[in-house]
Every structure is written in C-alpha cells, then in structure tokens.
Amino acid sequence: MADLSTSYMGLKLRNPVIVSSSDLTRTVSGIKKCEDAGAGAVVLKSIFEEQFLIDGDIPKSDYSIHPEALDYMRSGSLLEYAPHNLIQLIEVAKQSVDIPIIASINCQTPSLWPRFARQIQDAGADGLELNVSFHPISLAIPGAEYEDRHLEILRSVKREVSIPISVKLKSQITSVSHLGQQLAESGCDAIVLFNWFLEPDIDVETLKTRSHIGKANFFHSLRWVGLLSGRVECDVASSGGIKISEDVVKQILAGASGVQVCTLFYQKGLGEIQNLLKGLQDWMDRHEYERVDDFKGELSFRHQELMFKDLGEASAYFRAQYLKAYSKK
Ligand SMILES: Cc1cc2nc3c(=O)[nH]c(=O)nc-3n(C[C@H](O)[C@H](O)[C@H](O)COP(=O)(O)O)c2cc1C
C-alpha cells in the first residue's frame, strides 16, 4: 500500500492534507477532531492585529482605531481568541495531539510580527504561517512596495525565530514568480498559494455595502503551484478549491508539498479527510507510486521543461488566451 507520509516546510507529515487556517482550528477540541479525522497537520486560526489591542499590546501612538471598535473587541467573542489565549491554545494542543501545529498571524504594525512570532515559538508551535495581506488601496504606493513588505516581514520574523516559516499570499500579487523567488532567497520555508478573502457586495435595497465570503479558484492555485514548485528553493502548498481526491493528486503532480483545505470540511465535515486520503492512496496504487515524493512535481512546469517532455503541455501553466485551445479543432 502506498506510503502517504511527506515533508512540508521541514516538518514530517503523515499525509499531505492540512486543515487550513479557519475556525475549525481555533480550539483544542477542534484541533483534536482534525487529528482524529486523519489530517496531516493543522494551521491555527490567524491572530489578527486588531486582537492584539485586546491585550493592550499596541501603544496608542502606534495604531489608530475607532474607539467603538476597540470596545466591541474587548467585549465580544474575539476575547476568546486573544493573543494570550492563542499561546495557551498552542501549549495545551501540543500536549493533546501529535500532528504538527502551525500557528498563523496577520499583523500590520511592523514590531508585532517578530515579537509575537517569538512567543508562538516559545509556546511550542511547530511552524508559523504569515498571513500577509495588504490591499493596495493607496493611490501613492506602487505595487513593488507592497510586495517588498512581504520580504521585510519575513526577514524580521526569521531573525527572531528558528521554527519553519511559511508565507500565505493573496491571489492578486502582480509577480508571484519574482516574489516567490525573493521569499525563498530570504529563508521562507514554504509559500502558500493562495488566501481567499471576503469580497465586497452592495445591497441595492438598503443602499449599504456588505461582505460575503469569496470563492476560491482551484485552477489559479494550480497554475502558480505548477509554475513555482521546483523553481524556487522552498516548499509550495496549495490552498483553495480542493473538493475531491483528484484535486489533491493534481496539486501534488503540479508540485505541492501540502494541500490546505477548508471550505470542503465546513460544507461536508472532517470525514472528507478520509475520502481525500483514500482517493489519493487508490490513485497511487493504481499508478504504482509507492511514495508521495515519487510523483510530486512530475507535471510541474519546471519538471516538464527539464525533461523536454512536452513543452506544449507545460505551456498550460502560462497560456492565458484561447487561441490554441480553439484552433486545434
Ligand atoms: C470561515 C473561514 C475562516 C477563515 N479564516 C482564516 C484565517 O484566520 N486565516 C487565514 O489565513 N485564512 C483563513 N481562511 C482562508 C482559508 O484558510 C483558505 O485559505 C481559503 O478558504 C481557501 O481554501 P478553501 O477553498 O479550501 O476554503 C478562512 C476561511 C474561511 C471559510
């Protein structure tokens, strides 16, 4: 029977299916359920910058926030997941489960990233995912400046901790390849492609704006996993749109070292982990692959390019227009 164990950002995983950062992983019992259901690892719910305010961790001069918002955070459910509680969560979860626990933070204020990363490492987390997201809303700041911030954050965190660090990117990065290369050169252990966000909407009756959960684009993730893996000196993980075991196979063939899954488990429950794993195992047995590494990246752009296997096929990763697809017939 095929061996599903693998390595992701230097961590040993019993299989490549990772429960991605979400409310599924914000409590010890949630993490335990993920382990019992068969997950290879979990990424904890992100701590967001606003939540540091609950702990009074940001000097007022450092941050401007509406006072009412602060009151709301101090009184509401965010308190349950304030930074001091995350540290406790990691400590208790480490006693309760054997699978790797990857913490996740999203900060805006430069000093908080490294400071909190150190506390997370001291609590025993096996790794840390930096959930970096800036919406480029400024009319004055060019794209390169936003992209450089990823590197500054990564470097400042790497200086403070020795646990493996991944960076989870948003999908609207101008040059994923260039940023990926620079992240890898700056010591990033894995790049996660991609985060998915709330999208804006407008209620035309109440004339108010509102948010709704966006829909991940599996193929967008597949494109960039395929284009980056093997070309940058770090692991690449997929995040977004995994629904069936074939999707897991595709992402690993494209070069993913881990596949992060969230919405599927919300919709159909953590029992889906076994379906993903069984399908992966069956596929490997059918294709006579003994280990995940035996086919990881087999259909990455880099591998196909090197093998001169079929550059026509490899071009699927970068061809954006319909010319070929339609002219063939
Ligand atoms: C309810 C919910 C909460 C989430 N919270 C976080 C979070 O705290 N940090 C983060 O990096 N991603 C968060 N995500 C994004 C997921 O980790 C994942 O990247 C995204 O949903 C795409 O994967 P999927 O198609 O498998 O859901 C959240 C997603 C959902 C649906």
Side-chain angles (χ1 to χ4, degrees), residues 1-5 14-16 277-295:
M1 204 196 263
D3 176 4
L4 298 187
S5 64
R14 58 181 169 171
N15 67 66
L277 295 177
K278 181 166 185 325
L280 172 62
Q281 186 113 49
D282 288 350
W283 181 88
M284 286 172 67
D285 289 340
R286 216 157 12 94
H287 289 264
E288 298 181 357
Y289 288 115
E290 286 174 13
R291 286 171 298 274
V292 171
D293 272 355
D294 295 345
F295 69 100

Side-chain angles (χ1 to χ4, degrees), residues 20-22 45-46 48 131 168 195 216 239-241 261-263 266:
S20 71
S21 181
S22 63
K45 172 78 183 159
S46 299
F48 291 86
N131 168 9
K168 188 177 189 183
N195 207 342
S239 167
V261 187
C262 171
T263 302
Y266 268 103

Side-chain angles (χ1 to χ4, degrees), residues 28 88-101 123-126:
V28 174
Q88 223 171 17
L89 170 68
I90 296 169
E91 287 169 351
V92 178
K94 280 304 292 175
Q95 309 290 324
S96 317
V97 300
D98 294 321
I99 55 173
I101 294 178
D126 297 285

Side-chain angles (χ1 to χ4, degrees), residues 199-212:
E199 306 283 9
D201 198 2
I202 289 177
D203 187 320
V204 295
E205 293 308 320
T206 60
L207 300 187
K208 287 192 172 144
T209 54
R210 62 186 177 197
S211 298
H212 69 94

Side-chain angles (χ1 to χ4, degrees), residues 7 11 39 77-78 92 96 98 122 148 194 204 224 239 274 318:
S7 143
L11 304 170
S77 64
L78 281 178
V92 178
S96 317
D98 294 321
D122 293 346
D148 283 349
F194 291 100
V204 295
W224 289 106
S239 167
Q274 283 309 319
F318 55 81

